[in-house]
Amino acid sequence: MIEARGLSKRFQDKKRGEIHAVENVSFTCQPGKIYGLLGANGAGKTTTLRMLATILEPTDGTAIVSGYDVVEQPEKVRANVGFLSTATALYPRLTAQEMVEYFGRLNGLDEATLKKRVDDIFARLDMNSFRERRCDKLSTGMKQKTSIARTLVHDPPVMIFDEPTTGLDVMTARTIIGFIADCRGLGKTVIFSTHIMSEVERLCDHIGIIHGGKLLEEGTLSELRAKHNEHNLEEIIVKVVGPLLANAEA
Amino acid sequence: MNLHAIGVVYRKELTEWLRDRRTLISTVLVPLLAFPILISGMISLSTVLIGSAKKEVPKIMILHGEDSPAVVAALSANKDLQVVPYAGNWKDQISDKQIRAAVDIPDGFQASLDKGAPETIQIDYYEGEIKSEFGAEHVEKSLKAYRDDLVKKRLEAKNLPDSLIAPFDIKQQNVAPPEKVGGASIGSMIGYMVIILSMTGAIYPAIDLTAGEKERGTMETILSSPVSRLDLVLGKFLLVFSASLTTAILSVTSMGLSFAYMGHALSSSADTSGAGIHMNLGLTSVVAVFLMALPLSVLFSAVLMTVALFAKTYKEAQSYLTPMTFIVVIPAVASILPGVELTPKLALIPILNTSLVCKEIITGTYHWNSIAVIFASTCVYAAAAIFIAVKTFQRESVLFRS
């Protein structure tokens, strides 16, 4: 389970001064559900997810991830989280197997458990044909599978995906989408940021619309449709964000 | 601190490091091959040049001397010289390397000798041209032999002993122990090389493990793992430190073997006067130098990592670290300048102090107070550098600089 409690993040920028990347964001993601965080580029999605994964520390507020506080117990949070984004690359000079094993060891798995876990994952994701191949020699699809295996090796109860399909071809994106759906099936808590509406409609149980660092709207897809009297999700986002954009331009 | 996690990070970094061709070239191949190639190249070249210069019977020209047949005959009789007929363009012939030297015998030389009046014979040659210098040397030797013979005959004519002209001999004898002789000639250089190379060996991995990781997009991946930033930076630091030591050890070993080979090659040749290199360095001294350089290597590794971490790309990190090379080179060079000696104040200046104490250690001088102060102060600097590296690794503004 993820419970964000007034998460805020401010950065100092030499030219622009203090930037409020995320302001007082609170929401809850339940196990076995997929929470979709929607927003334009720069809306605060990545910063929010990085705070949940403890890669960034909140300026204010906190979040409880799988029972651990992101501010007080960041290492325990990370041990319970699988984090995947297009920015999480692989080590080019390690083989696919070494890459996954490295993260298994960092997660404290003993060698026997690690071997079993790696064998299971490689078989499940059909990765045995390239397990000994170096990551810099893998195709994009193989790399994504290796990244997935890397996030799964310690069997985390929480999965965080930050725009995981951005820049990927259709087939590779399908692999990722299928994997996210599988995570829900396994009872994991999943939070997922994207600006691809079809993915949201297909996957998400709960949706949060974020803009300017603030969570503007939250609910299930049907609740949002009913509230805004609009079927198309893109139109719903325009209705939610549009007035703010107009004010900002004015 | 989790030693297991540090070990896991270190092993992974080591695996990647050993698989990087650039690493093998810069850390292993270059230090191993640079000195042997340089030294053997120098030896081969000098052997060929000197050998061919020595083998040659130099062509010389005698200017004037028509009224001094005895000295002309002495020069002509020397088998190591080939006297060619006089030509007006003798200066051009020397410059064009057609002849090696010219002997200018003043008019009335023989007559002056007979009267006992002083005279000067001038040897004209091409300075910096090895064959011309050898030619001039041969001429001078031949003239000296003629002069000595003349003196001897004059002494005999007056029934005076040879010792009249040389009442005593002068001989130089070295009394310093062999390791000090070696240290004086090359000792300061060993310390300097260990210091410079332990830094250059750390540069590439320091960049690769920080800015390189950011550039490749793996920084966010590793930061999402449960390893603490402290363990992560220590694991990385250990690898940079290992690389630094490896380069220094390989370079000094290679340099030592090359100099030993050069010393052997030069001493086995007929003329060793120009060698000037002694390799009587004790293993204990070299090991002591490495021990003194250890905290400095820690300091370099931590500082280089910290600076490189600020960069977003490999190239940016290189532009930051290149000026740092000068910061290290200047005190290291200062220490090998003649007259720069270890003082209590200098003992607190990092790099310079280690370089100076290494110079002393190599000559077999162990000032334990200075050694303790230098080792301790460098350890403090190194610990501070590691602390700063760890703190920098915890700064989001550095890790996610955009």
Side-chain angles (χ1 to χ4, degrees), chain A residues 55-68:
Chain A
I55 293 169
L56 293 178
E57 192 178 347
T59 315
D60 287 311
T62 189
I64 304 300
V65 176
S66 204
Y68 297 104

Side-chain angles (χ1 to χ4, degrees), chain B residues 292-304:
Chain B
M292 288 306 294
L294 273 183
L296 200 56
S297 179
V298 170
L299 177 67
F300 288 148
S301 304
V303 169
L304 292 173

Side-chain angles (χ1 to χ4, degrees), chain B residues 342-349 353:
Chain B
L342 194 57
T343 62
K345 276 184 187 172
L346 292 184
L348 291 173
I349 300 175
N353 59 4

Side-chain angles (χ1 to χ4, degrees), chain B residues 200-386:
Chain B
T200 53
I203 289 180
Y204 174 67
I207 296 175
D208 194 52
L209 269 59
T210 53
E213 189 139 355
K214 279 189 195 175
E215 191 172 7
R216 290 190 295 268
T218 49
M219 188 62 93
E220 193 164 329
T221 315
I222 190 65
L223 292 178
S224 72
S225 79
V227 66
S228 74
R229 305 266 162 102
L230 173 68
D231 298 338
L232 182 62
V233 71
L234 288 179
K236 284 175 177 288
F237 158 76
L238 283 177
L239 191 275
V240 178
F241 178 55
S242 305
S244 160
L245 280 186
T246 306
T247 306
I249 290 170
L250 288 178
S251 304
V252 171
T253 308
S254 160
M255 186 170 73
L257 291 174
S258 304
F259 276 124
Y261 167 71
M262 185 168 77
H264 174 73
L266 289 172
S267 64
S268 63
S269 70
D271 179 13
T272 56
S273 58
I277 302 280
H278 306 275
M279 270 308 298
N280 296 318
L281 299 175
L283 186 63
T284 321
S285 304
V286 176
V287 171
V289 165
F290 270 104
L291 287 178
M292 288 306 294
L294 273 183
L296 200 56
S297 179
V298 170
L299 177 67
F300 288 148
S301 304
V303 169
L304 292 173
M305 267 181 70
T306 307
V307 175
L309 190 62
F310 281 89
K312 285 180 288 187
T313 62
Y314 199 96
K315 274 190 178 173
E316 189 185 346
Q318 275 179 320
S319 67
Y320 291 165
L321 296 192
T322 306
M324 287 195 66
T325 316
F326 297 107
I327 298 175
V328 173
V329 167
I330 290 166
V333 167
S335 72
I336 59 172
L337 294 175
V340 181
E341 299 293 336
L342 194 57
T343 62
K345 276 184 187 172
L346 292 184
L348 291 173
I349 300 175
I351 305 168
L352 179 63
N353 59 4
T354 308
S355 195
L356 284 171
V357 83
C358 287
K359 203 161 92 171
E360 290 196 345
I361 288 173
I362 285 290
T363 61
T365 310
Y366 289 82
H367 290 134
W368 290 108
N369 288 343
S370 301
I371 289 172
V373 167
I374 291 167
F375 194 81
S377 65
T378 312
C379 281
V380 169
Y381 300 138
I386 293 179

Side-chain angles (χ1 to χ4, degrees), chain A residues 167-241:
Chain A
L168 298 181
D169 64 68
V170 177
M171 295 310 290
T172 314
R174 276 175 70 91
T175 309
I176 300 280
I177 295 300
F179 167 62
I180 294 170
D182 287 349
C183 287
R184 172 170 50 196
L186 292 167
K188 295 180 188 293
T189 306
V190 180
I191 184 164
F192 163 57
S193 84
T194 185
H195 45 234
I196 302 170
M197 297 307 133
S198 59
E199 290 178 354
V200 179
E201 287 172 339
R202 188 177 155 195
L203 285 173
C204 296
D205 301 295
H206 213 85
I207 294 166
I209 298 171
I210 191 167
H211 183 78
K214 292 175 182 159
L215 191 65
L216 301 178
E217 196 76 80
E218 212 190 355
T220 62
L221 184 56
S222 49
E223 282 170 352
L224 292 176
R225 280 172 176 159
K227 184 177 176 184
H228 294 280
N229 195 24
E230 182 62 64
H231 183 80
N232 187 308
L233 184 57
E234 204 171 293
E235 291 302 324
I236 293 171
I237 291 173
V238 171
K239 279 189 175 180
V240 172
V241 175

